[in-house]
Amino acid sequence: GPTPLLADLVVLALGHLDAEPDDEQRALASFAAEHQLTYLPPEFTADSDLTGLRPGEPVIVRGFGLAFIDLMVLLTEGRGGRYTDDGPGGTLTYHPSGREPVLHVGSRRGVPYHSKLGYPLRGEAPPLPRFFGPAQVDAVLARPGPRDFRRDVWPLIEKELGFAHYHRLFTAHPHRTAVDWRDFEEKYAACDPGGPALRALVAASVPDPADRLDLDALDRPLAGLRYDGADALQDGLRGYIEADLARAHDPAHSPDLAVFLALLSVYGQLTRLGDLGPWWHGFFSYVASGPPGPRLRGLLALSRAGVVRFLGADLTVTADPERGVFRAAGASVPGHAVEARALVEARLPA
């Protein structure tokens, strides 16, 4: 307008923006152009030109979050495929149109984001924030020198998530605990996060290891797991996804909902600390912002139909100049690799 508008805050509500490619993306794009391959860099999936992903041909997909789910939908239902449902609580069957490529998908974790939870909170919610609130953020901001997320922030988050988990376990499922909540809470407050005293307290107070919060195992469920072959990996991943779906719809696991609420509380506090790097945002999205259950049921059907193939964890992608293709391999099946003339980075740009 003719008169400038003065404001203290500007919000850019422009959706997903493009970004300049990094060195690896430029090299992969150049390799693709040289060898007449298809390379799709990180971008908003709905804006991608998918015409280069041809029916029946293998496509390497790097990324297993919501961008992958969008890609999966566009290349299956979006190309005329359809599902039939075997009934309530049953499995889906995918009926291909014949226009789908074969998606070979992997990532650092090697598993899709956790399913959205399918039950409401009943009973007492964890009183949050408890160990990561305004006072703790003030203390972090007041520390001299550069801030380190793992050293200065993550231990507080870890203790907050654990508090929410165990508050819910003790108050909603007391038969699965061995001590009084008040006694546990007092001792928990005195423990260093992740330290031996806390581990000993939890082991003595929560008899079943399955009821204990293990954030490392949550973050890297395939760490250290090795499969005898690609088919064994497909079976293993389908079992993992089926178990995740069942857990997400079973209130017996309601401490998961408490952890979700704690993640939201933590996220609100972290806005004062600025950019914390990609790991935290990836962890938050993986645990708290995954696909709805029906999308994971569809993924299982696509896997059974052979339209999606899992590559496992710690995915590496290289350009093979001798064969003129992309190669992908994961740590979950040693010695196994896939070649393709198409590579999709299924994630949003930084």
Side-chain angles (χ1 to χ4, degrees):
T3 304
L5 175 66
L6 304 182
D8 297 313
L9 179 67
V10 176
V11 178
L12 299 177
L14 305 178
H16 297 288
L17 304 178
D18 292 331
E20 293 294 328
D22 62 23
D23 291 343
E24 182 193 26
Q25 291 160 18
R26 279 193 291 270
L28 290 171
S30 297
F31 178 81
E34 178 183 355
H35 294 275
Q36 296 181 313
L37 309 178
T38 297
Y39 174 68
L40 299 183
E43 58 190 352
F44 184 44
T45 309
D47 293 338
S48 298
D49 180 3
L50 305 180
T51 55
L53 309 181
R54 300 177 185 136
E57 293 192 1
V59 175
I60 296 169
V61 182
R62 181 158 54 177
F64 218 161
L66 295 185
F68 165 75
I69 297 295
D70 291 343
L71 179 74
M72 176 188 87
V73 172
L74 290 170
L75 292 174
T76 55
E77 293 172 275
R79 290 191 173 183
R82 62 184 181 88
Y83 296 96
T84 55
D85 196 332
D86 295 340
T91 59
L92 295 180
T93 299
Y94 183 71
H95 303 274
S97 68
R99 298 167 56 203
E100 302 90 344
V102 179
L103 304 179
H104 296 265
V105 58
S107 65
R108 181 178 70 91
R109 293 186 185 92
V111 297
Y113 284 9
H114 283 288
S115 170
K116 291 193 186 304
L117 299 176
Y119 52 85
L121 176 69
R122 300 191 186 281
E124 185 181 355
L128 300 168
R130 176 68 169 82
F131 294 99
F132 191 68
Q136 288 78 20
V137 174
D138 288 342
V140 171
L141 290 170
R143 290 176 186 170
R147 222 169 16 249
D148 182 270
F149 175 77
R150 281 287 180 180
R151 180 195 65 205
D152 302 325
V153 181
W154 176 246
L156 299 169
I157 296 175
E158 187 176 9
K159 194 159 187 179
E160 186 83 323
L161 300 183
F163 170 76
H165 174 94
Y166 291 115
H167 176 275
R168 181 66 186 176
L169 182 69
F170 275 78
T171 57
H173 312 285
H175 59 285
R176 285 149 55 185
T177 65
V179 299
D180 179 75
W181 163 246
R182 291 185 182 85
D183 182 55
F184 178 89
E185 181 185 20
E186 180 180 350
K187 293 177 180 177
Y188 183 90
C191 291
D192 292 330
L198 188 145
R199 291 195 295 271
L201 172 66
V202 169
S205 307
V206 181
D208 188 348
D211 283 328
R212 303 169 193 167
L213 181 63
D214 186 338
L215 292 174
D216 290 335
L218 179 65
D219 183 39
R220 299 299 302 272
L222 299 186
L225 289 179
R226 298 294 180 266
Y227 293 86
D228 292 336
D231 289 340
L233 174 63
Q234 310 312 303
D235 292 339
L237 261 289
R238 283 194 292 267
Y240 168 87
I241 296 168
E242 288 165 353
D244 180 58
L245 271 170
R247 183 182 182 108
H249 291 79
D250 184 355
H253 297 289
S254 65
D256 294 352
L257 177 54
V259 171
F260 169 79
L261 296 174
L263 283 166
L264 296 182
S265 175
V266 164
Y267 207 100
Q269 300 296 331
L270 286 176
T271 58
R272 296 175 56 202
L273 296 179
D275 184 16
L276 298 169
W279 183 88
W280 159 253
H281 295 288
F283 177 77
F284 174 88
S285 298
Y286 163 67
V287 178
S289 188
R295 289 302 185 203
L296 290 179
R297 291 181 68 206
L299 173 60
L300 288 169
L302 292 169
S303 172
R304 289 189 293 267
V307 176
V308 171
R309 298 279 295 175
F310 305 122
L311 291 172
D314 297 316
L315 184 70
T316 59
V317 177
T318 56
D320 186 338
E322 292 186 6
R323 296 179 58 82
V325 294
F326 298 112
R327 287 175 55 86
S332 303
V333 184
H336 174 69
V338 170
E339 296 182 351
R341 297 183 57 80
L343 168 62
V344 179
E345 308 279 17
R347 53 191 170 89
L348 294 176

